[in-house]
Structure formats: C-alpha cells, structure tokens
Amino acid sequence: MNKVILIGRLTRDPEVRYSQGESALAIARFTLAVDRRGRRDANGGDQTADFISCVAFGRQAEFIERYVQKGTKLVAEGRIQTGSYTNKDGQKVYTTDVVVENCEFAESKGSGASNGDFGGYAQPKAEPVSDAGDGFMNIPGSIDGEEIPFI
C-alpha cells in the first residue's frame, strides 16, 4: 500500500499551471516543510524539517490555488510517486513527489502567527463579502457552493 499523510507548512506560494487542450487540468506544485519529530539540529537548536515536494491535480489543485499561500499549515494525504527525466545536459534526473489526493487546513483561522497572516489561511481570491447583520455572511454570487472548501 502506498499511502502518505503529511502535516506541514508551505515554504512558498504554490505554483499552479493548467494543461493544454480542450479540457484544461489544473496542476499545483508546492513544497511542505514537515518537522522531524524529536530531532534537533547539530547545535541543539530548533527542530529540523524535511522539505517534501508535492503535486495536486484537478479540484485539489484549484482549491490550493484559491485558498493556500506561503505559511499555510496543511494536512496532505496522497501517495509517493517516483519518476525520471533526462535534463538538457543529458543527465538522468530522478524525482520523488507526493501526489496529493486530499488536503485540508491543519489549523483554524484564528490560530497561527499573530502577524496578520490570516492564521495560515489565504484570503480567498474572490470579491469581498459583507456581514448581512443576521449573524451570517453573504456569499458572493461568483462563488459556487462546490467551490467552498469547508462544506
């Protein structure tokens, strides 16, 4: 069985591209910094981390593009996939990626750093929403119910 579950923070904003063709497919690439449990660096300082290359396709990639940014803490579930290619110098390069099949936020919006970074959440790239006064937020018409990640 090939199953991976990671909890970590994005090291930079995800890189999202779309495939060519009639039905374009979103492809998101990002790196998760995952702490090594109980390990300290050589100087006895903070925990060390592994930097895991991840790739997501389709709806997961669209979710990542819309709601995730550098510093966001995610739970990523998927599988390890290896591959190889020949670079422009004629050398064979081996790759290892986690193909993300499911991902979720690993912390609530209110937790996380207190520097105004939305607690690890990316602010949605939709028009602003306003409070209707009845305790519920108005969801803009441009957001479809299937696009909201927590329903």
Side-chain angles (χ1 to χ4, degrees):
M1 177 186 294
N2 184 353
K3 182 93 167 169
V4 176
I5 299 173
L6 302 170
I7 300 175
R9 292 190 184 276
L10 268 74
T11 60
R12 63 181 181 272
D13 288 341
E15 178 184 313
V16 180
R17 296 183 180 175
Y18 287 83
S19 65
Q20 300 294 319
E22 197 173 300
S23 58
L25 179 70
I27 303 166
R29 292 193 167 278
F30 57 96
T31 301
L32 280 181
V34 179
D35 285 334
R36 289 185 184 171
R37 200 173 200 185
R39 304 255 186 206
R40 301 283 178 190
D41 68 9
N43 300 327
D46 293 332
Q47 289 181 322
T48 58
D50 290 307
F51 298 90
I52 314 289
S53 296
C54 300
V55 61
F57 299 95
R59 293 184 61 93
Q60 287 299 317
E62 291 168 4
F63 167 82
I64 289 165
E65 177 181 33
R66 192 169 285 125
Y67 298 105
V68 176
Q69 66 185 6
K70 177 182 177 179
T72 303
K73 190 171 187 179
L74 286 181
V75 176
E77 179 184 349
R79 67 183 191 278
I80 292 179
Q81 182 170 298
T82 60
S84 64
Y85 64 93
T86 304
N87 67 12
K88 60 184 174 188
D89 298 328
Q91 298 172 325
K92 193 162 191 169
V93 177
Y94 295 93
T95 62
T96 302
D97 293 308
V98 171
V99 177
V100 177
E101 296 165 346
N102 185 37
C103 67
E104 301 175 11
F105 294 113
E107 62 188 2
S108 65
K109 192 173 184 177
S111 63
S114 59
N115 62 2
D117 69 351
F118 302 101
Y121 282 92
Q123 193 165 13
K125 297 173 184 142
E127 65 259 15
V129 295
S130 62
D131 187 355
D134 59 0
F136 294 97
M137 284 183 127
N138 289 329
I139 297 177
S142 66
I143 295 180
D144 181 77
E146 294 180 9
E147 293 179 340
I148 300 174
F150 44 82
I151 291 182

